[in-house]
Amino acid sequence: MSQSPAFVLNVLETPEDPEGSQEPSPYDESEVHDSFHQLIQEQSRWVAEEGLELQQRQPETGALGASGSDHKTLPGPEGAPVYSMATLRILASMPSRTIGRSRGAIISQYYSRTVKLRRRAGRPQLRDMGRSARPSLRLYDLELDSAVLEEEEKRGLLVKELQGLTAAQRDHMLRGMPLSLAEKRCLREESRPLRGKRRAERRHGLLSCCDQLRDSCVLASHNLGLALLSGLQALTPWRYALKRIGGRFGSSVLSYFLFLKTLLAFNALLLLPLLAFIVGVQAAFPPAPGGPVPAFTGLELLTGGGHFTHSVMYYGYYSNATLNQPCASPLNGSECPPEAGSLPYNMPLAYLFTLGAAFFITCITLVYSMSRSFGESYRVGSASGVHAITVFCSWDYKVTQRWATRLQHDNIRTQLKQSPVSAEREAVLLLLPLVVCLLNLGAPYLFRILATLERHDSPVLEVYVAICRNLILKMVTLGILCYHWLGRRVGTLKDQCWENFVGQELYRLMVMDFIFTLLDTLLGELVWRLFSEKRLKRKGKPEFDIAGNVLELIYGQTLTWLGVLFSPLLPAMQIIKLLLLFYIKKASLMANCQAPRRPWKASHMSTVFVSLLCFPSFLGAAVFLCYAIWQVKPSSICGPFRTLDTMYEAGKVWVRRLEKAGPRVSWLPWVHRYLVEDTFPIYLVSALLLAVIYLNIQVVKGQRKVICLLKEQISNEGEDKIFLINKLQRVYEKKERSRAGRTEEAVTPPLFTEDWDAQ
């Protein structure tokens, strides 16, 4: 009876690595290529010649020994599956295991892409060219490795295909190649096409003087542009300082300084239109002084009064005139008559509309920043795998200097942890800001004591509770002050310029807040570090309080937004304060503090900080200013709205003048009536902003859901691979057992039973 033939999967075997050999580093490209090219070459030749088909094999003597050598089983760690040598070789020859590890595979892959681009562009293909135009191996040294020759041939083909592409396509293709910068430079130089007759003439020195001068000018301008571009990048504010802070203390502490930089940009954006359309114009056309101007004594820097009251610093200095040229002071509150033929500039209207436009731009920028920060913070579904990403994907290979590599080491290591008055009376005015700042300074320490007694289970919950407590304290304090200014002070200062008083109060609050921030930095960080090192003999430095410092920044910015109506130069004071705070906090951080032990996720906390800046801070300031513009009666002796019942009536007066001006500007009153006075557009714009925020939230939620589904799909595909590998292993084992049984039957001689002997 004939036996059924046995089929085996004939796969070439590679020699085992000697004991104690180390795998080459994945960053050493040449060594990795040398270690893998032999396996790739053998598998490619076997696929080309045999096609990995099943071959019929007759059982013969000694097959067991051969099969034992072909299907050797490797020992594995405890609990891990053990596969045969043939299975491991098939796994090693998979595209996912080979592509990206050899330079030849990369060049071959991008050669195929350039061929597709050439076909898409309708250029002649390489196979249509003459044989003389193709790269030849005749001049190569025959003693070289065949894999090296094959790689050089692929490189030549890639260069020829790159020469056939346009400059933009060639640059885009070279940028996307996973090769070193030196390799990319060589490919770019080799693939740069000749420029015809002019390039040939240049080689032979036949260019004229004009052509040489023109080429030199073009090259010099190009180099100058590159130098200016690199200089602009180097002039980025605090570029090296931010890198140093992030490398030493991590992204959590860096988020405070980035938030401070963001506030600096917001104040500059707010200050520019105020300087251009209000402060600069009034400084060019100063009003006549109503009395003697007090001399500058220096106390004004703390109190904000005195000489500052008679300057462009405060609301009361600005006139209610239509500015054309310097004119006499208006009598009985009437406006200066505009001269015929000159360009009128309505200061009350400019004051109102410039402030409204600046706040609208700030609002749009804040909403955009919040939505962008929210998207960047939550676009990744979870925090799992963050250490793997940090270890394998966070190194910057363009770094060459020693200090830069040291910063990178520190950053990765940190991420892996986790009217004129007297001087005495002006000094008394500092009492209210002093009490408010003492409350803001002492309450956080009381909240820390409460947090130690509460013993929250989650450190993140402890951080959010501290933020909520400090935020509620500051918002309640500012709410009481706003009621004090617009409710009580307006009634008691009827015959005085109450707008100047409110502006001075906010100026004093800002100055005292800055002083107490310096005291907190000095006492809470420097003195405490010295005391703990000298007296308590502790080596640890105090932690940098990210939440408290960020809330102080939000509090100071809220004061700026509240006071910009009464003091147009208050954003300039805030810019100076932020600049000083950056350098003071940076020096104190480097000398006295350490990174917080609590787990901070910098992207999420940055989103929380921008959200707090937008909703309680900016929204509260906008409500305060809208109430002051629409409801509160301005002072009758100062300011651009002195003759009106409300500041908003300046727009109505302007509209009435436009209606009498003629039909050419009749559309402006219609715009004011239906887009400004009517509340429906305001509600519509508010609804659109809320809709944009809601859509951003929904889009981010959808992205998180898709990311979760993709992760689940990747996990399922991994399980599918494990299932297929196990099935392949069982097929090998079954064939091994059947072949071993047939070999044993063929070798063992037949045995005669006792019944046969008896016959």
Side-chain angles (χ1 to χ4, degrees):
M1 184 176 179
S2 62
Q3 297 180 352
S4 60
F7 293 91
V8 295
L9 184 64
N10 191 1
V11 183
L12 294 178
E13 182 179 1
T14 56
E16 296 183 2
D17 295 334
E19 295 183 359
S21 63
Q22 297 181 353
E23 294 185 358
S25 171
Y27 305 112
D28 194 346
E29 188 178 4
S30 59
E31 293 185 8
V32 174
H33 171 66
D34 294 338
S35 62
F36 277 93
H37 84 274
Q38 184 178 0
L39 176 61
I40 298 172
Q41 181 183 4
E42 292 177 357
Q43 295 296 327
S44 302
R45 185 168 61 250
W46 179 252
V47 171
E49 296 177 358
E50 302 294 337
L52 282 178
E53 60 184 6
L54 294 175
Q55 296 180 348
Q56 184 175 359
R57 185 173 182 179
Q58 298 294 339
E60 55 184 355
T61 306
L64 180 60
S67 64
S69 62
D70 287 341
H71 300 281
K72 188 181 301 181
T73 302
L74 295 180
E78 184 177 357
V82 180
Y83 302 121
S84 64
M85 195 65 174
T87 305
L88 294 177
R89 283 199 299 273
I90 292 178
L91 293 177
S93 63
M94 292 171 62
S96 61
R97 304 292 182 92
T98 57
I99 191 66
R101 293 185 179 179
S102 78
R103 192 165 49 231
I106 295 173
I107 293 176
S108 177
Q109 176 188 9
Y110 279 88
Y111 165 68
S112 302
R113 293 188 183 181
T114 51
V115 169
K116 292 180 181 178
L117 283 176
R118 282 174 53 85
R119 290 175 181 174
R120 211 176 290 137
R123 293 186 174 87
Q125 300 181 12
L126 185 62
R127 63 168 177 262
D128 298 333
M129 301 170 61
R131 297 185 61 87
S132 61
R134 298 185 182 181
S136 176
L137 298 177
R138 294 179 180 177
L139 299 179
Y140 285 14
D141 190 0
L142 297 179
E143 297 180 358
L144 294 177
D145 191 0
S146 59
V148 177
L149 296 177
E150 183 180 359
E151 181 179 337
E152 292 296 330
E153 182 180 3
K154 292 179 181 178
R155 182 187 181 89
L157 293 174
L158 176 62
V159 169
K160 285 186 174 294
E161 293 297 333
L162 287 173
Q163 288 176 351
L165 299 177
T166 62
Q169 289 177 338
R170 183 168 61 250
D171 293 340
H172 180 73
M173 183 68 68
L174 287 173
R175 283 194 208 99
M177 289 184 180
L179 297 173
S180 63
L181 291 177
E183 288 285 342
K184 292 182 180 180
R185 291 193 190 100
C186 292
L187 286 174
R188 180 178 285 108
E189 292 296 329
E190 294 176 5
S191 61
R192 183 173 295 168
L194 298 179
R195 299 188 182 274
K197 185 177 179 180
R198 291 192 66 236
R199 179 66 62 88
E201 290 177 351
R202 180 179 299 176
R203 287 199 303 266
H204 294 287
L206 300 179
L207 284 177
S208 63
C209 295
C210 295
D211 293 336
Q212 293 180 1
L213 180 62
R214 181 178 59 185
D215 292 344
S216 300
C217 294
V218 170
L219 184 60
S221 62
H222 179 69
N223 294 334
L224 180 62
L226 293 178
L228 290 177
L229 184 61
S230 61
L232 288 177
Q233 293 179 352
L235 290 177
T236 304
W238 309 319
R239 185 167 176 262
Y240 173 70
L242 293 175
K243 282 188 175 182
R244 187 180 178 188
I245 293 172
R248 184 171 177 180
F249 298 96
S251 57
S252 58
V253 177
L254 180 63
S255 63
Y256 166 79
F257 292 92
L258 292 178
F259 186 72
L260 190 148
K261 185 179 177 182
T262 303
L263 291 183
L264 193 65
F266 279 129
N267 284 279
L269 186 64
L270 181 63
L271 181 63
L272 287 178
L274 296 178
L275 287 177
F277 299 105
I278 299 179
V279 179
V281 175
Q282 188 64 72
F285 298 95
V293 179
F296 181 77
T297 61
L299 191 60
E300 292 89 345
L301 296 176
L302 288 178
T303 62
H307 183 76
F308 285 169
T309 307
H310 301 272
S311 66
V312 292
M313 185 73 182
Y314 294 114
Y315 165 93
Y317 181 80
Y318 295 87
S319 66
N320 65 333
T322 301
L323 302 178
N324 304 290
Q325 60 183 6
C327 63
S329 179
L331 300 176
N332 299 326
S334 61
E335 299 180 356
C336 293
E339 294 185 359
S342 59
L343 181 64
Y345 193 87
N346 194 325
M347 178 53 70
L349 195 65
Y351 200 98
L352 184 64
F353 276 89
T354 302
L355 193 64
F359 258 73
F360 182 74
I361 294 173
T362 305
C363 178
I364 296 298
T365 310
L366 262 176
V367 172
Y368 172 75
S369 301
M370 186 179 64
S371 61
R372 182 181 178 184
S373 178
F374 190 85
E376 290 179 353
S377 174
Y378 294 99
R379 64 186 174 188
V380 178
S382 61
S384 61
V386 65
H387 295 307
I389 295 175
T390 302
V391 171
F392 294 107
C393 305
S394 61
W395 185 259
D396 187 2
Y397 289 93
K398 295 181 289 186
V399 171
T400 56
Q401 298 182 359
R402 185 178 298 275
W403 63 267
T405 56
R406 209 164 36 238
L407 282 178
Q408 290 247 14
H409 280 292
D410 294 340
N411 196 0
I412 295 177
R413 184 170 62 247
T414 305
Q415 290 182 20
L416 293 176
K417 298 177 182 178
Q418 289 306 41
S419 55
V421 293
S422 61
E424 292 79 5
R425 188 173 178 182
E426 285 193 0
V428 174
L429 296 176
L430 295 174
L431 182 59
L432 178 61
L434 184 64
V435 173
V436 173
C437 292
L438 281 175
L439 181 63
N440 289 331
L441 180 64
Y445 291 99
L446 179 62
F447 293 156
R448 292 179 191 176
I449 298 175
L450 291 177
T452 57
L453 297 177
E454 290 171 347
R455 296 180 181 178
H456 295 284
D457 296 333
S458 173
V460 178
L461 178 61
E462 182 180 350
V463 170
Y464 281 109
V465 169
I467 290 176
C468 291
R469 285 172 173 168
N470 287 278
L471 182 66
I472 292 173
L473 170 68
K474 296 181 185 301
M475 292 300 108
V476 168
T477 304
L478 289 177
I480 295 174
L481 289 176
C482 291
Y483 171 75
H484 170 70
W485 293 327
L486 296 186
R488 301 181 61 185
R489 282 298 179 180
V490 172
T492 56
L493 299 175
K494 290 183 179 180
D495 299 331
Q496 301 180 23
C497 190
W498 63 267
E499 292 90 349
N500 281 2
F501 175 80
V502 175
Q504 293 172 8
E505 285 280 286
L506 287 164
Y507 176 87
R508 286 190 285 267
L509 282 171
M510 180 180 292
V511 171
M512 295 304 295
D513 178 67
F514 176 69
I515 293 175
F516 273 79
T517 302
L518 296 183
L519 291 177
D520 184 36
T521 303
L522 179 65
L523 299 177
E525 296 175 2
L526 176 61
V527 177
W528 177 251
R529 179 183 69 85
L530 295 176
F531 179 76
S532 60
E533 289 179 354
K534 302 298 183 181
R535 295 293 182 181
L536 302 179
K537 304 300 181 180
R538 295 179 182 176
K539 296 183 179 180
K541 298 180 179 179
E543 297 181 7
F544 186 78
D545 188 7
I546 301 175
N549 284 283
V550 168
L551 288 177
E552 289 296 329
L553 292 180
I554 295 176
Y555 172 74
Q557 187 60 42
T558 308
L559 293 177
T560 304
W561 283 330
L562 290 174
V564 70
L565 175 63
F566 312 105
S567 178
L569 286 181
L570 209 58
M573 305 302 299
Q574 175 72 356
I575 290 176
I576 297 174
K577 172 187 170 183
L578 292 175
L579 289 173
L580 294 176
L581 271 181
F582 181 88
Y583 292 104
I584 293 171
K585 286 292 184 181
K586 173 180 170 291
S588 177
L589 175 68
M590 294 295 180
N592 305 319
C593 298
Q594 64 178 355
R597 299 186 182 93
R598 297 166 180 162
W600 284 80
K601 195 167 185 181
S603 58
H604 288 188
M605 296 310 299
S606 299
T607 304
V608 172
F609 296 152
V610 175
S611 302
L612 293 178
L613 182 68
C614 182
F615 286 112
S617 178
F618 181 79
L619 185 62
V623 170
F624 171 79
L625 294 181
C626 289
Y627 179 79
I629 291 173
W630 261 273
Q631 297 294 329
V632 182
K633 180 177 174 59
S635 299
S636 59
I637 61 171
C638 67
F641 310 103
R642 65 189 70 175
T643 59
L644 304 174
D645 292 334
T646 60
M647 299 180 185
Y648 178 71
E649 285 190 2
K652 295 182 178 180
V653 173
W654 176 66
V655 169
R656 288 195 292 268
R657 291 180 181 177
L658 288 177
E659 290 176 349
K660 300 177 182 179
R664 292 181 301 175
V665 291
S666 60
W667 59 276
L668 288 175
W670 182 88
V671 170
H672 182 271
R673 185 180 302 111
Y674 291 102
L675 296 183
V676 179
E677 288 188 351
D678 194 1
T679 57
F680 176 75
I682 299 177
Y683 291 137
L684 181 61
V685 172
S686 303
L688 288 177
L689 289 177
L690 293 176
V692 169
I693 296 174
Y694 175 77
L695 288 177
N696 276 287
I697 293 174
Q698 294 301 317
V699 167
V700 171
K701 286 184 178 179
Q703 291 176 351
R704 295 179 66 184
K705 187 175 181 180
V706 170
I707 290 173
C708 293
L709 292 177
L710 290 175
K711 288 183 177 180
E712 185 178 356
Q713 182 179 353
I714 293 173
S715 177
N716 293 334
E717 289 181 356
E719 294 178 0
D720 292 342
K721 291 180 181 179
I722 295 175
F723 172 77
L724 293 175
I725 292 173
N726 292 331
K727 293 287 288 186
L728 179 63
Q729 179 71 14
R730 285 196 291 269
V731 169
Y732 274 128
E733 292 176 354
K734 184 177 180 180
K735 291 181 179 179
E736 184 71 22
R737 288 194 299 267
S738 62
R739 185 167 61 251
R742 289 193 301 271
T743 304
E744 186 177 357
E745 291 178 359
V747 175
T748 304
L751 298 177
F752 297 95
T753 60
E754 296 178 356
D755 295 339
W756 178 263
D757 294 338
Q759 293 178 0

